[in-house]
Amino acid sequence: QQIMLTIRSNTISPKPPYYIGYYVLVLLIKSLSGLPLSSINAWLTPVAAGLLVPLSIYGMLRYAVAERRYAVLLPLVFLIFPYAELIQSTPQSASFVWTLTVITLCFIRLSAPVLPWSIIILSALAAAAFHPLTGVPLILAVGIAYVWSSNMRETQRKSALGFLLTA
């Protein structure tokens, strides 16, 4: 089934329940920038992966590692992992980039409260709009991290964690 993006009316047809977040993002960038749709679709995920993943990994390591000079160099270690999925612009690839970014934002939030949970939760919901198969587990992981860091009593925390782990 081919998805057709109609630029003149900014509509997507047929309306897929999956991937809607990805195509909305493509249309939004097209509307704001005026770039050709084929260029946006070809370069969205590689550019996002090139910007978001190293910056979020640096941020995570900056708050987890005491010395700044190591935090600058440690993102280079992640270059040894294959990122073949991140060189093609598909909803699944975009959700992988977004998921990596949100996971590192969770680590940043757990290390130092520099980000509000609302941004991380909204980002997890956006990942579910990109691709539910990666977004829904991410929402559960963010929920677990939120409950873990909350000021609940121990019994309430255990109950909430048990619910999230069984969901």
Side-chain angles (χ1 to χ4, degrees), residues 13-139:
S13 62
K15 300 211 183 314
Y18 292 0
Y19 321 141
I20 194 79
Y22 175 79
Y23 293 114
V24 166
L25 181 62
V26 168
L27 282 175
L28 180 68
I29 293 171
K30 166 67 176 152
S31 297
L32 294 175
S33 69
L35 293 171
L37 187 62
S38 60
S39 297
I40 295 169
N41 198 28
W43 289 99
L44 179 63
T45 302
V47 169
L51 293 174
L52 292 176
V53 173
L55 287 175
S56 60
I57 290 172
Y58 167 75
M60 178 183 71
L61 294 173
R62 174 68 183 104
Y63 289 103
V65 177
E67 292 191 38
R68 186 179 184 104
R69 63 182 170 172
Y70 296 130
V72 171
L73 295 176
L74 283 175
L76 296 176
V77 171
F78 291 95
L79 293 175
I80 64 172
F81 297 112
Y83 290 114
E85 283 294 321
L86 305 182
I87 62 169
Q88 53 186 332
S89 285
T90 62
Q92 182 72 39
S93 298
S95 71
F96 287 160
V97 171
W98 205 251
T99 299
L100 283 170
T101 303
V102 172
I103 289 171
T104 57
L105 291 178
C106 277
F107 279 113
I108 290 170
R109 176 65 171 117
L110 292 172
S111 299
V114 294
L115 290 170
W117 277 110
S118 59
I119 290 175
I120 298 170
I121 292 169
L122 286 173
S123 297
L125 291 172
F130 279 2
H131 199 291
L133 294 177
T134 53
V136 171
L138 180 64
I139 291 171

